[in-house]
Amino acid sequence: MGNLQKALSQDVYKKLYVKALEARKNAYAPFSGFKVGAALLTDDGSIYTGVNIENSSYGATICAERTAFVKAISEGHRGFKALAVTAGSDQEALPCGICRQFMYEFSPKMEVVTGTDTEHLNVRTLEELLPLGFRLEK
Ligand code: THU
């Protein structure tokens, strides 16, 4: 993990990553075979998990990150501290552009945890992943 100052402890990042790995077992990815899991930490300390859910109409697919967000938002959460995402040990999964925009709406300063295992995690802010992101004033 990089040595920049991070908002949360290594233990929290690891815990979130493990939750994402566990969730990944439920991914529905019969078309790509690329299973993804995510775990989202809310401002009040709750954790919501998500998986990618593919569809015969490919464009209807939803990514793991947005699944976790949709679950949390629909339960009333609006602020988020961190999200871990994993595609297992083969490849680091970085959130796609649509997910970056989706998440930016709520918490531009949240952290995104990626990596191939708990000993090799990368922690970046969403603002690093989506510089100069778009958001309407509310
Ligand atoms: N996918 C995710 O769930 N999250 C990512 O960060 C990247 C892509 C999914 C969408 C699709 O089901 C599969 O991975 C291949 O693109």
Side-chain angles (χ1 to χ4, degrees):
M1 192 151 58
N3 60 3
L4 287 171
Q5 192 63 45
K6 302 298 178 189
L8 305 168
S9 75
Q10 285 215 26
D11 278 358
V12 171
Y13 299 131
K14 284 186 183 181
K15 181 181 166 191
L16 214 51
Y17 188 86
V18 169
K19 293 250 182 215
L21 260 184
E22 287 167 3
R24 180 175 175 263
K25 294 173 190 154
N26 292 324
Y28 178 73
F31 304 107
S32 72
F34 192 73
K35 292 182 157 202
V36 186
L40 175 63
L41 178 64
T42 68
D43 274 351
D44 71 1
S46 321
I47 293 177
Y48 287 82
T49 60
V51 298
N52 56 330
I53 305 168
E54 298 186 345
N55 193 275
S56 296
S57 176
Y58 295 172
T61 293
I62 184 168
C63 294
E65 298 91 319
R66 274 177 289 142
T67 301
F69 261 79
V70 165
K71 284 168 69 177
I73 293 161
S74 61
E75 294 298 323
H77 298 279
R78 292 292 183 269
F80 304 97
K81 286 195 167 102
L83 170 129
V85 57
T86 179
S89 57
D90 288 347
Q91 178 183 333
E92 178 179 26
L94 283 157
C96 78
I98 295 172
C99 287
R100 292 179 196 201
Q101 176 64 33
F102 194 95
M103 299 190 288
Y104 192 89
E105 175 73 19
F106 297 95
S107 295
K109 301 205 178 300
M110 70 180 287
E111 292 181 317
V112 177
V113 183
T114 62
T116 47
D117 64 69
T118 53
E119 299 310 311
H120 300 91
L121 297 180
N122 292 309
V123 181
R124 305 174 180 96
T125 64
L126 183 54
E127 279 179 332
E128 284 179 272
L129 295 178
L130 186 66
L132 304 175
F134 171 72
R135 203 159 71 153
L136 290 175
E137 293 303 323
K138 286 167 276 189

